[in-house]
Amino acid sequence: MTALTDLTLDVAAVRADFPILDREVHGKPLIYLDNAATSQTPSAVIESLSDYYRRYNANIHRGLHTLADEATAAYEGARTKIQAHLNATSAREIVMTRGTTEAINLVANSWGRANLAAGDEVIVSLMEHHSNIVPWQLLERTLGIVIRVIPVDERGVLDLEAYRGMLNERTRLVCVNHVSNALGTVNPVAEIIREAHAADARVLIDGAQAVPHQSVDVQSLDADFYVFSGHKVYGPLGIGALYAKASILESMPPWQGGGEMISRVSFDRGTEFAGIPHRFEAGTPAVAEAIGLGAALDWVNAIGIERLAAWEQWLLGHATERLERIDGLRIIGTAPEKASVASFVVDGAHAQDIGLLIDQLGVAIRTGHHCAQPVLAHFGLDATCRASFAVYNTPEEIDAFADALEHVLGMLR
Ligand code: PLP
């Protein structure tokens, strides 16, 4: 085992915040290693949801009564927490969405439809999640835009030379993930953004797998759009956010119509839309979930994202070491800079069988294409096993997972 130096994380105290970690699965203690799909929820977040429904559930913004005031203040407070977490200049730059997928669809349908035309080029990378591919393919069908794809090498590293070669006067937008969910690769997004801006293109960064594992500063990155999901960063399901520079958001038309996103509706004098960010939040939002996401970010900040990241890096190193010792196991995604994802395949054993059997031993890993079929196809695969780590995981859990895996492989091969 690698020496554990200078990490002051009290993982037992961290784990005590997560009631679900006490449960058993098939009579065995749960070892939850599917954090890239969704992370577990600390008591502080569960309590914030419960507190909302017990004490101040109300529809927001239009109410004059006390509960509506309190709910509005807490919802807008959550927006401010997200702003601070991403270091955006203003809370006006934060649009609440259902998550990463909805945020990307918002950009495609609002900014995309207003700014893209037939022949315009959108660059995506081969390692994108389907949610950062399909919205652009829909515009390919309807608007006739051209999608260009940044290739990936055998380690799972983006080919930046090829990327530079793709940038041209037709390039309007570059869409890449900050961290790949299928490979764990941390992409050099600052450089990607700089190059895109030099070519006068805008950039959307999918931060779904970055926000849970590292600090993100949208100002120093100079990202035009940055999106993430709450449920991967210890928050509730069904809430996430789009960051966009105020000047860009101001120029974007609404993408959904309804209540909350207007300042006045009239059949005679025309309808006027609300200012940003509310223009992009039609209908009653997920108030409790937004407040829960704010509580999750508070929880992360109480630990400290640097400490959390250091712990996860150590877990990743330990897991990689253990997995590499297993005969016939190949790690998919060996980039020099990775976040806490270990994707792998094993000779003579299908990922699906491994996933099902290891669950019988209480270990939750993900198997399949991870909504990233193009990059798996690049490795000649249709599925991998993926163990992904969060701050509450322990080296003992990783050892138990590796032992369970060896046991399962003994049954399968
Ligand atoms: N992008 C990446 C890199 C992801 O890992 C995920 C989820 O796994 C998504 C986008 C989609 O997130 P959501 O389903 O929360 O919208």
Side-chain angles (χ1 to χ4, degrees), residues 36-37 99-102 129 131 177 179 181 206 208-209 229 231-232:
T100 302
T101 304
E102 189 176 70
H129 188 278
S131 62
N177 56 39
V179 173
N181 67 310
D206 169 356
Q209 298 293 344
S229 298
H231 68 97
K232 295 181 195 288

Side-chain angles (χ1 to χ4, degrees), residues 56-338:
Y56 61 106
N57 175 33
N59 210 328
I60 56 169
H61 290 143
R62 288 154 309 203
L64 287 178
H65 58 79
T66 301
L67 266 55
D69 266 357
E70 289 177 7
T72 303
Y75 179 80
E76 292 301 332
R79 195 191 305 277
T80 305
K81 288 178 186 180
I82 296 168
Q83 173 219 332
H85 202 75
L86 299 180
N87 194 32
T89 32
S90 155
R92 296 169 67 244
E93 298 179 314
I94 306 297
V95 180
M96 302 292 200
T97 66
R98 283 195 297 128
T100 302
T101 304
E102 189 176 70
I104 297 172
N105 277 278
L106 189 168
V107 175
N109 284 292
S110 170
W111 184 90
R113 287 182 186 280
N115 290 280
L116 299 175
D120 284 346
E121 296 185 6
V122 171
I123 297 178
V124 302
S125 91
L126 186 67
M127 68 171 83
E128 293 314 303
H129 188 278
H130 296 164
S131 62
N132 204 15
I133 298 174
V134 182
W136 310 112
Q137 289 180 324
L138 294 175
L139 293 189
E140 188 178 37
R141 288 186 194 192
T142 52
L143 300 181
I145 64 165
V146 175
I147 296 176
R148 308 206 48 191
V149 184
I150 311 171
V152 166
D153 72 12
E154 70 290 347
R155 300 165 302 165
V157 173
L158 288 180
D159 181 344
L160 289 188
E161 267 314 299
Y163 165 60
R164 282 182 206 110
M166 278 175 196
L167 290 164
N168 69 72
E169 68 284 353
R170 298 304 314 249
T171 311
R172 296 282 174 272
L173 182 68
V174 177
C175 304
V176 290
N177 56 39
H178 199 158
V179 173
S180 155
N181 67 310
L183 309 174
T185 310
V186 180
N187 287 316
V189 290
E191 193 177 339
I192 289 169
I193 292 169
R194 217 171 28 248
E195 308 255 2
H197 285 171
D200 208 20
R202 306 272 72 83
V203 185
L204 180 149
I205 303 295
D206 169 356
Q209 298 293 344
V211 171
H213 305 295
Q214 63 178 82
S215 64
V216 171
D217 182 333
V218 290
Q219 288 189 69
S220 79
L221 286 176
D222 199 22
D224 300 298
F225 303 104
Y226 195 102
V227 299
F228 75 99
S229 298
H231 68 97
K232 295 181 195 288
V233 58
Y234 310 105
L237 292 159
I239 188 74
L242 160 69
Y243 157 82
K245 285 178 181 161
S247 57
I248 299 178
L249 264 192
E250 295 277 15
S251 74
M252 285 165 49
W255 77 304
Q256 291 180 335
E260 303 274 354
M261 52 74 72
I262 48 83
S263 61
R264 188 193 62 186
V265 175
S266 154
F267 285 114
D268 311 324
R269 289 177 295 151
T271 289
E272 283 169 17
F273 303 124
I276 64 167
H278 300 108
R279 189 194 306 162
F280 302 101
E281 294 179 5
T284 302
V287 181
E289 288 78 1
I291 295 167
L293 172 53
L297 297 178
D298 287 344
W299 184 86
V300 165
N301 291 328
I303 291 182
I305 191 89
E306 305 304 340
R307 187 152 32 140
L308 173 153
W311 178 256
E312 290 181 349
Q313 279 297 315
W314 188 82
L315 289 177
L316 176 67
H318 180 55
T320 307
E321 233 173 70
R322 281 297 313 253
L323 290 173
E324 278 173 348
R325 273 194 248 146
I326 296 177
D327 192 35
L329 185 148
R330 181 161 60 108
I331 296 200
I332 305 299
T334 51
E337 263 206 78
K338 281 181 67 174

